[in-house]
Amino acid sequence: MTELDVRRKRLLYEMGVTVWRSPPSSAGTGQAWARLEREVTRCEACELHQGRTQAVPGSGDRQARLLIVGEAPGKTEDARGEPFVGRSGQLLDAMLAAIGLDRTHDVFITNVAKCHPPGDRDPRRGEVQACQGWLEAQIRLLAPVCILAVGKVSAETLTGTRDGLGTLRGQWMAWGEATIPLRVTYHPAYLLRYPGEKAAAWEDLLAVKRALQGAVA
């Protein structure tokens, strides 16, 4: 185990976020979120920190029932410090509105990687692994009703497989020991390039809406 892993485990333990017990009560959750986000902004676990303007921990409702996990911040997100604020973010907002949600209420949005990869490339495996502890901590603090993974990198990270989006989407899976219902769908940026896939993404959104209403099917 590296020094970074030891430090991160100690930090998460002090926050009350571990892999062997339930998330902390709401009494200490606000401080835990603040500390986690502060540590993310200071993280130098991979080379991506060298070219970032700022890290992008995530944004939204810290008591949200729906967690949306994308792949990595783009150039606009890197500049503003907020996920999904470009054209793909506008489409994501429209998708959420279609099922009666918005990013400020009952939704938390983050990415697998917290820093902008150069050239808007996908984050590499080592970069994803360097951020994985932060993502897992966010999930345990949030304890959402369900998770929506958007894009290939997010899907592979959260499912632990490399089966591809075409195989993974359209079904419910479970994340972690907490067995949180997990759904995979296309990234909004992909839908902007291939609008013919919006019907499939709509099916996934309707499934998420049913899950939030108490019926995972």
Side-chain angles (χ1 to χ4, degrees), residues 4-198:
L4 174 67
D5 290 332
V6 171
R7 185 174 69 84
R8 183 177 290 154
K9 266 199 166 180
R10 183 171 63 250
L11 169 68
L12 298 180
Y13 180 82
E14 290 171 355
M15 287 165 46
V17 182
T18 71
V19 298
W20 56 86
R21 65 185 178 84
S22 300
S25 67
S26 58
T29 302
Q31 291 182 348
W33 271 110
R35 185 170 185 182
L36 172 61
E37 292 181 356
R38 185 167 60 249
E39 290 295 323
V40 170
T41 63
R42 296 172 178 172
C43 182
E44 298 182 357
C46 74
E47 293 183 355
L48 289 184
H49 81 275
Q50 296 174 357
R52 73 188 179 205
T53 302
Q54 56 189 319
V56 184
S59 66
D61 186 346
R62 291 176 177 176
Q63 295 181 326
R65 295 184 302 153
L66 173 62
L67 171 64
I68 298 175
V69 182
E71 298 179 327
K75 186 176 181 179
T76 305
E77 287 79 9
D78 175 68
R80 292 180 51 177
E82 185 179 353
F84 286 91
V85 293
R87 288 184 64 218
S88 62
Q90 293 171 5
L91 178 55
L92 179 61
D93 288 347
M95 293 165 65
L96 290 173
I99 57 171
L101 298 174
D102 67 68
R103 67 168 61 217
T104 63
H105 178 67
D106 226 9
V107 179
F108 190 87
I109 305 173
T110 190
N111 285 297
V112 168
K114 311 303 187 189
C115 296
H116 173 225
D120 285 332
R121 63 166 171 78
D122 289 343
R124 294 168 180 155
R125 185 174 300 183
E127 295 161 353
V128 169
Q129 290 172 343
C131 270
Q132 196 156 354
W134 304 132
L135 176 60
E136 291 175 356
Q138 288 176 315
I139 296 173
R140 290 189 168 88
L141 279 173
L142 197 62
V145 170
C146 62
I147 302 171
L148 181 64
V150 296
K152 176 184 175 183
V153 175
S154 177
E156 291 180 349
T157 301
L158 289 167
T159 65
T161 73
R162 299 180 67 83
D163 290 343
L165 261 174
T167 300
L168 293 172
R169 65 151 304 275
Q171 59 184 308
W172 282 106
M173 292 161 280
W175 180 85
E177 296 175 2
T179 63
I180 298 171
L182 169 66
R183 195 86 175 189
V184 169
T185 195
Y186 297 112
H187 195 285
Y190 178 86
L191 296 176
L192 288 171
R193 295 193 301 271
Y194 302 99
E197 299 292 355
K198 287 184 179 180

Side-chain angles (χ1 to χ4, degrees), residues 66 94-101 202 205-206 208-209 212-213:
L66 173 62
M95 293 165 65
L96 290 173
I99 57 171
L101 298 174
W202 177 241
L205 286 174
L206 290 178
V208 167
K209 181 178 181 179
L212 295 175
Q213 293 172 339

